[in-house]
Amino acid sequence: MPASLSGKWEMISNVNFDNYMIALGISASLRKIAAKLTLKKKIERQEDQFIVKTTSTFRNYTVTFKVGQEFNEFTKGLDNRHLKSLVRWEGNKLICEQTGEKKNRGWAHWIEDDKLHLELFCEGQVCKQVYKNVSKTR
Ligand code: ECB
């Protein structure tokens, strides 16, 4: 059973995604496409280095970071903003603060009941996504 964030995950629920995208300033036409997607995550971890790949039939997005080391993030294909991002552990939650034009922006990942949980937040809006594990085991 997956006790870590690493592995392959597929979205099974997505609450308040539209308001999160509105907070990011995403156009109505793009939001309509994005709302229909079943997002997948592939999370790889090597010591404190993480690679988080979000994929879909429409667009993909990859971020690579080390816990505790601020990095420059460009949200290419999302809202296309430049951010200063910092990821830290808070208990069993992996938390990212994304500093830039938008206030109170970031995300949090954790495992609960063998599911990958994700909160995406921006300017008071919180989108809550849950992913099931689809890692191949043999
Ligand atoms: C990569 C799929 C993008 C599909 C939506 C395309 C356009 C809509 C534009 C912006 C919407 C904002 C976010 C899209 C939702 C998910 C993308 C990744 C969100 C994120 O920051 O994930 C973190 C935590 O897992 C790692 O990058």
Side-chain angles (χ1 to χ4, degrees):
M1 287 296 105
S4 81
L5 303 174
S6 300
K8 292 183 177 180
W9 306 91
E10 189 174 289
M11 195 172 74
I12 56 173
S13 64
N14 189 6
V15 174
N16 208 37
F17 189 36
D18 199 49
N19 283 323
Y20 170 74
M21 289 193 288
I22 289 171
L24 286 174
I26 306 301
S27 71
S29 55
L30 199 50
R31 296 201 316 268
K32 191 173 174 181
I33 295 167
K36 294 181 198 296
L37 301 172
T38 299
L39 301 178
K40 294 178 182 182
K41 297 274 181 192
K42 184 179 181 187
I43 301 179
E44 296 174 76
R45 184 182 180 182
Q46 297 145 3
E47 301 188 353
D48 268 359
Q49 163 114 353
F50 278 87
I51 305 164
V52 180
K53 293 179 182 171
T54 307
T55 60
S56 75
T57 53
F58 177 57
R59 280 180 192 167
N60 303 321
Y61 183 72
T62 300
V63 67
T64 302
F65 55 85
K66 287 184 178 175
V67 173
Q69 277 189 21
E70 187 176 76
F71 62 101
N72 296 310
E73 180 172 9
F74 175 53
T75 57
K76 186 177 180 174
L78 304 178
D79 62 321
N80 296 300
R81 284 191 175 90
H82 293 273
L83 315 169
K84 293 280 186 193
S85 298
L86 176 62
V87 181
R88 70 180 195 279
W89 285 108
E90 201 172 290
N92 65 337
K93 288 191 180 183
L94 192 66
I95 295 180
C96 180
E97 282 182 52
Q98 296 173 314
T99 305
E101 182 187 347
K102 296 291 178 179
K103 302 303 169 199
N104 298 314
R105 179 174 184 174
W107 51 259
H109 266 300
W110 70 96
I111 300 291
E112 195 177 309
D113 298 331
D114 292 331
K115 304 286 197 299
L116 178 72
H117 288 244
L118 171 62
E119 283 179 353
L120 295 162
F121 38 94
C122 181
E123 304 209 321
Q125 292 298 326
V126 182
C127 169
K128 177 69 196 287
Q129 299 179 347
V130 180
Y131 293 74
K132 66 177 179 181
N133 190 280
V134 292
S135 302
K136 296 283 183 276
T137 52
R138 60 173 77 202

